[in-house]
Amino acid sequence: MGAGKYAFYVHPSANKTQIKDAIERVFEVDVLKLNLLNVRGKEKTMGRFRGVRPRRKKVIVTLKPGQRIQQLEGLT
C-alpha cells in the first residue's frame, strides 16, 4: 500500500461510519478516506462436493498526512 494507507477485512454488514469510528478509536489516528470493496466468495471443489467460501468486505483506510499505525508497521 502507499504511504498512510492500510487494508483491513471487516464485518460484511459494517458501514463506513462504523468502520471509521472503530479505527479512530482503536488506533488513535485521524481517518481521511475509506474505500470499501465487497470481495465475493470463491467457488471451491473437494472431490465431487462443491461449495462457496464466504464473502468478505475489505476496506482501504487513508490516514491524514504524517500519521501511521505503529502496530502494523513492517507487516506485509
Side-chain angles (χ1 to χ4, degrees):
M1 294 269 125
K5 290 189 178 187
Y6 299 90
F8 299 97
Y9 283 113
V10 296
H11 194 275
S13 64
N15 61 34
K16 281 188 173 186
T17 307
Q18 293 170 335
I19 296 167
K20 181 180 177 183
D21 290 343
I23 290 174
E24 286 180 343
R25 199 170 337 122
V26 171
F27 296 112
E28 297 175 357
V29 292
D30 296 318
V31 174
L32 190 64
K33 185 168 88 169
L34 294 175
N35 293 36
L36 292 177
L37 295 90
N38 285 309
V39 181
R40 155 181 90 118
K42 289 174 84 172
E43 194 173 284
K44 297 302 245 176
T45 305
M46 182 175 280
R48 64 188 176 113
F49 301 103
R50 299 182 83 165
V52 178
R53 292 234 175 118
R55 65 185 178 92
R56 298 180 289 176
K57 186 177 274 190
K58 184 177 181 178
V59 62
I60 298 174
V61 179
T62 304
L63 302 179
K64 285 191 176 177
Q67 291 189 342
R68 58 188 185 153
I69 299 176
Q70 290 290 97
Q71 296 91 329
L72 302 180
E73 288 297 316
L75 298 178
T76 56

